[in-house]
Amino acid sequence: MKDQTKSKTGASVNRLEGALKVMGKAKYSSEFAIDNLAFAQGIQSTISAGKITSIDTSLAEKQEGVIKIITHENALKLKGYGGRFEEPDTKSISPSLQTPDVHYYGEYIGVVVAETFEQARYAANLVKVTYAKSEPKFIFDEHLDELYMPKEINDKAKTNTQWGDVEKGLKDAYKTIDVTYNTPVEHHHPMELHNIIATWEGDKVIAYASTQIVAHAVKTIADTFEIPEDNVRVITPYVGGGFGSKLQLREHGTLGIMASKMIGRPVQLTVTRHEMFTAVGFRQHNRQHMRLGADKEGNLTALSHETSAATSTYEEFQEPCGAISQTLYNTPNSLVTHKLMKLNLPSPRWMRAPGEAPGSFALESAMDELAYKLQMDPAEFRIKNDTQHDLSVDKPFSSRQFVECIRIGAEKFDWKNKWKPTPGHTKKENWLVGYGMSGSSRQSPYMESSALIKLKLDNDKVQVTVQTDATDIGTGSYTIIGQTISEYLDIPLEQISVELGDSKFPKTPGSGGSWGAASYTNGAKVACDNAINTLKTLASTSEDLSVIELMKKADLTEFEAKGTAGPTEEFENYSVYSFGANFCEVWVDEYSGMVRLEHFVNVGSAGKILNPKTAYGQIIGGITWGLGQALTEHSQVEPNHGNFITRSFADYHVPVNLDLGKIDVIFLPEDDYIANPMGVKGIGELGITSIAAAIANAVFNATGKRVRDLPITPEKIMKTKMEVA
């Protein structure tokens, strides 16, 4: 009999859908062949604030192939975004084309529908718009006096916390730091552009949409168009990257569905790469004021993390940068706050590790700065301030191998022999060599998830189909769900078919927030357990027989079972987090300031690793993105008009293969059965957390120059003065 251990959870299995993707047979949402399909192109505003006074569509309407031009003057009347994901109050938010108001440069103010994409895009450029301009606000530093604390968000997400007396803790400290870090606007750029194909059948709509959460897309469409959720079907079998930008159905989805209803034909709308800078959200500019204190032995006495950021004028969004400071270290006196200002820019949105990615840069850079002042090994400084209790919510951690991550990473990297406390200690020709490290953590949510399995017996072989509305955003959902079925039904992986991303399938929380893997697989496990238990009942046996034997004994050739898993009361009594540590070596050209990543070691403790191969890919992706955050990515606002002057990959720079050095990834053995019955925790967002800090700390160790404003460009390195402890 074939060795089934090679396809069960914990095995490095190739992606089930890998061959389909390589052959171009994996259908993404914009690739469905729909008869009589029309194409839509958005019309964007060219001012940052004001009202539309007139729209002249006459020339555009005369163009070949143009079917309809939709603006606020003739658009369908829609309801507010009641289905928007995790918003405190969205009922008052108006969907697209409902008013003549303009909130930011590049806002959709209309849509052209034509027979071809090229015709729609050409005609969109011929629409002439007249505005009554208002005085816009889009320069961060000019509106610092307008910062306020968004109480509703803070109360809901517990983003603001305080315990002890920070001022006294700082006053009593042997060494302190008081510094400010800036992380700039960054933009989402998944390989697959945001898109939708919408088609109506009477009062029912089918949306082939690139989205991370199918159930939320259904709710958004139903609420916006005021139809029952049963009348909405969303299909998204493959997602070419989401990273938070596809957590909710965005304005292009509304426009595509509206256009289809108005012309009575299927409509496809794909957001262009240029429009990605204004249409799908971004990581907001975060200014983080850090104050830390420690006694002579290196024990933290106080930690203050105060974040200022910008949101849009029409919707509040706050990235919880201080979340990591609330939980990572044993801090007797703590203050974490978040404030917002309203600017005429698009609404920021979730981006991979929202809060932790920028927040960890500030916290872990500050920890490095304080260790330098104390003349302590940064790794030992972090170990000394470990805690097994989440002080922010007064709960123990379900498991925490933070110290082990640091120690094993240090050993793998040879930290004790490489790192020296004096910057500039190692030089190779014109390269200054530096070493840096950082600690990381990320909450690992676990949410209710369902799955349906269908068994079909054919002679002595059983074929299994598992269905769930879970999405695979490139992380390997197909594969780990298949491995789970293989393990708990003891059936070879090649006899299992996984079907995802259809709202007619059982509901899951979708992909995002590092909850997907644990939620999906536990839901699939329960479906397997229910199948076996029910088959035993039908077969009138309590023996541990195979699925084939049970079906034969019950005289069945086909059988179905559904399962739903979710957090228990015990789960709610603990803080459930994944932890990690990063070590890196960078080379900095002393004449140009150019930074090169030579070696990176990442150690993670994230529960049971379902598939080391796909998990490894997640970490490599996180490190790559963290490198971009540290050295290259920065969206700039044009100071006169408020548009983003970075608008393509020609000027928005992301790392490529040649930018990466040697990378070692280590997963520590861990089964956290408090987290969930399978012991699984999230890693997708842990992979980017604190990467930028490790690189920045290594740059300081190489040069003695502390760059606190990302990205760390050659110009900033050459201008920054060396620091003395």
Side-chain angles (χ1 to χ4, degrees):
M1 187 174 178
K2 183 176 177 180
D3 182 6
Q4 280 302 103
T5 60
K6 294 182 179 179
S7 63
K8 294 179 179 179
T9 60
S12 290
V13 175
N14 291 335
R15 291 174 180 269
L16 295 186
E17 82 286 7
L20 293 176
K21 288 180 176 178
V22 170
M23 294 187 292
K25 293 183 178 181
K27 271 190 180 179
Y28 291 82
S29 54
S30 64
E31 298 179 323
F32 283 82
I34 307 296
D35 292 337
N36 202 27
L37 185 65
F39 294 83
Q41 172 64 47
I43 305 167
Q44 296 178 281
S45 68
T46 54
I47 66 168
S48 295
K51 288 182 179 291
I52 299 168
T53 56
S54 67
I55 300 182
D56 184 356
T57 61
S58 57
L59 182 58
E61 288 171 341
K62 295 175 183 177
Q63 301 307 306
E64 181 181 355
V66 172
I67 300 168
K68 194 171 190 67
I69 299 177
I70 306 168
T71 70
H72 72 277
E73 295 177 343
N74 64 341
L76 296 179
K77 296 306 174 187
L78 306 176
K79 188 182 173 185
Y81 288 122
R84 293 293 278 265
F85 179 70
E86 281 189 3
E87 289 299 313
D89 180 11
T90 58
K91 293 181 176 61
S92 63
I93 298 170
S94 176
S96 299
L97 311 189
Q98 299 302 288
T99 73
D101 298 325
V102 175
H103 306 92
Y104 59 90
Y105 195 106
E107 183 175 5
Y108 286 130
I109 57 173
V111 61
V112 174
V113 189
E115 296 292 346
T116 70
F117 165 74
E118 292 80 8
Q119 290 170 335
R121 191 167 186 183
Y122 177 71
N125 290 323
L126 300 178
V127 175
K128 297 178 181 179
V129 184
T130 304
Y131 305 95
K133 296 182 181 179
S134 300
E135 189 65 30
K137 300 187 294 184
F138 43 74
I139 305 301
F140 188 91
D141 287 327
E142 293 179 2
H143 301 282
L144 293 172
D145 60 343
E146 298 174 23
L147 286 164
Y148 68 98
M149 206 167 277
K151 186 177 185 302
E152 191 167 8
I153 294 178
N154 290 333
D155 288 349
K156 181 181 179 183
K158 297 182 176 63
T159 52
N160 289 357
T161 56
Q162 181 176 1
W163 62 84
D165 187 336
V166 163
E167 303 306 327
K168 185 177 186 303
L170 291 169
K171 184 179 178 181
D172 293 344
Y174 169 64
K175 294 289 184 180
T176 63
I177 62 162
D178 186 334
V179 291
T180 299
Y181 302 91
N182 281 281
T183 54
V185 169
E186 297 175 70
H187 271 92
H188 293 97
H189 282 290
M191 186 178 295
E192 179 202 25
L193 295 165
H194 288 236
N195 61 81
I196 189 169
I197 295 176
T199 179
W200 287 81
E201 298 175 0
D203 60 353
K204 296 183 178 180
V205 63
I206 299 175
Y208 302 88
S210 185
T211 182
Q212 293 176 230
I213 305 179
V214 169
H216 275 293
V218 169
K219 180 170 173 51
T220 297
I221 295 168
D223 286 355
T224 302
F225 289 87
E226 299 187 85
I227 57 177
E229 290 187 26
D230 288 345
N231 287 12
V232 180
R233 184 179 178 189
V234 174
I235 301 172
T236 177
Y238 299 97
V239 181
F243 311 106
S245 69
K246 296 175 181 175
L247 282 172
Q248 59 186 193
L249 196 66
R250 300 305 303 262
E251 287 77 1
H252 70 278
T254 302
L255 294 177
I257 295 168
M258 181 196 296
S260 174
K261 190 170 183 65
M262 291 181 72
I263 70 168
R265 284 175 57 179
V267 168
Q268 177 174 327
L269 194 157
T270 299
V271 176
T272 66
R273 185 62 66 185
H274 181 109
E275 292 169 354
M276 292 284 288
F277 285 89
T278 55
V280 299
F282 52 84
R283 193 188 299 285
Q284 62 204 134
H285 174 189
N286 290 294
R287 178 164 294 168
Q288 302 174 71
H289 180 202
M290 303 294 301
R291 294 181 295 156
L292 273 67
D295 62 22
K296 287 185 178 181
E297 287 72 40
N299 299 295
L300 284 172
T301 60
L303 189 157
S304 173
H305 189 162
E306 298 170 283
T307 302
S308 300
T311 187
S312 67
T313 59
Y314 59 94
E315 192 172 11
E316 284 186 341
F317 179 87
Q318 175 184 289
E319 189 168 24
C321 294
I324 191 167
S325 291
Q326 293 170 328
T327 59
L328 193 52
Y329 297 111
N330 186 16
T331 312
N333 303 291
S334 174
L335 174 67
V336 173
T337 65
H338 299 79
K339 291 183 179 180
L340 291 174
M341 67 175 75
K342 290 183 177 289
L343 298 183
N344 288 105
L345 294 173
S347 273
R349 276 292 179 275
W350 305 272
M351 183 177 278
R352 190 176 188 174
E356 284 86 1
S360 64
F361 167 67
L363 173 65
E364 290 302 284
S365 295
M367 288 290 286
D368 195 77
E369 295 204 41
L370 187 53
Y372 178 64
K373 274 196 171 186
L374 292 165
Q375 289 298 285
M376 284 187 68
D377 179 331
E380 293 301 324
F381 181 44
R382 287 168 171 81
I383 290 172
K384 191 173 188 66
N385 287 282
D386 182 46
T387 176
Q388 294 296 312
H389 199 82
D390 185 347
L391 299 174
S392 68
V393 292
D394 192 22
K395 294 179 181 179
F397 289 103
S398 59
S399 63
R400 178 179 166 118
Q401 295 191 113
F402 181 52
V403 169
E404 290 82 354
C405 287
I406 296 174
R407 287 183 172 151
I408 290 172
E411 182 180 352
K412 175 71 176 178
F413 188 77
D414 196 21
W415 175 258
K416 289 190 181 297
N417 291 322
K418 289 180 176 179
W419 179 85
K420 301 292 186 296
T422 305
H425 54 78
T426 302
K427 187 176 179 182
K428 297 181 180 180
E429 297 180 344
N430 58 307
W431 295 97
L432 302 171
V433 180
Y435 305 96
M437 62 85 55
S438 63
S440 63
S441 71
R442 179 55 165 83
Q443 191 172 18
S444 295
Y446 172 49
M447 304 171 73
E448 186 174 289
S449 185
S450 300
L452 174 68
I453 56 174
K454 300 179 179 181
L455 308 178
K456 188 171 184 179
L457 185 62
D458 185 7
N459 295 323
D460 288 327
K461 199 172 185 179
V462 64
Q463 295 291 333
V464 182
T465 300
V466 56
Q467 295 178 334
T468 169
D469 78 356
T471 52
D472 192 325
I473 59 176
T475 54
S477 298
Y478 278 98
T479 310
I480 59 173
I481 292 171
Q483 287 177 265
T484 302
I485 300 296
S486 176
E487 175 166 341
Y488 290 98
L489 291 185
D490 195 23
I491 290 174
L493 196 57
E494 57 265 28
Q495 292 171 217
I496 299 168
S497 174
V498 182
E499 298 180 359
L500 304 180
D502 192 326
S503 60
K504 73 177 183 179
F505 297 158
K507 188 179 290 188
T508 72
S511 297
S514 292
W515 60 62
S519 303
Y520 302 160
T521 55
N522 276 278
K525 174 187 179 300
V526 173
C528 293
D529 293 342
N530 290 346
I532 292 171
N533 291 333
T534 304
L535 284 171
K536 283 183 176 182
T537 300
L538 295 173
S540 302
T541 182
S542 59
E543 295 181 76
D544 291 328
L545 304 176
S546 70
V547 169
I548 294 174
E549 290 170 322
L550 287 172
M551 291 185 72
K552 286 182 175 180
K553 199 171 180 66
D555 196 25
L556 294 171
T557 57
E558 294 185 3
F559 178 74
E560 292 185 5
K562 185 178 179 181
T564 299
T568 63
E569 186 176 331
E570 183 183 32
F571 177 87
E572 303 297 339
N573 292 331
Y574 289 83
S575 280
V576 183
Y577 281 74
S578 296
F579 294 92
N582 307 291
F583 294 82
C584 72
E585 175 183 331
V586 302
W587 290 21
V588 183
D589 189 296
E590 65 174 327
Y591 301 117
S592 69
M594 184 178 74
V595 180
R596 191 173 83 190
L597 180 63
E598 187 71 14
H599 185 203
F600 205 100
V601 172
N602 174 280
V603 183
S605 174
K608 180 176 183 177
I609 303 301
L610 293 163
N611 185 328
K613 183 175 286 190
T614 56
Y616 175 81
Q618 281 287 284
I619 299 299
I620 295 296
I623 292 171
T624 305
W625 203 343
L627 178 64
Q629 180 189 16
L631 301 181
T632 63
E633 296 189 48
H634 181 196
S635 294
Q636 293 180 285
V637 177
E638 197 281 323
N640 297 307
H641 302 287
N643 58 318
F644 288 107
I645 55 177
T646 40
R647 58 186 70 185
S648 73
F649 286 142
D651 42 32
Y652 186 86
H653 299 150
V654 297
V656 295
N657 285 341
L658 286 175
D659 295 314
L660 299 173
K662 178 186 177 184
I663 297 177
D664 295 310
V665 177
I666 301 168
F667 298 117
L668 299 191
E670 179 184 60
D671 291 315
D672 188 338
Y673 296 115
I674 294 173
N676 50 74
M678 289 181 64
V680 180
K681 295 198 284 192
I683 64 164
E685 289 168 299
L686 183 71
I688 186 179
T689 301
S690 304
I691 303 300
I695 294 168
N697 294 338
V699 169
F700 171 76
N701 188 248
T703 65
K705 298 182 178 185
R706 183 73 67 177
V707 181
R708 300 186 180 96
D709 298 345
L710 294 182
I712 304 170
T713 60
E715 179 185 25
K716 290 176 184 176
I717 290 177
M718 300 309 289
K719 284 185 176 181
T720 302
K721 294 180 180 180
M722 289 188 67
E723 294 187 19
V724 179

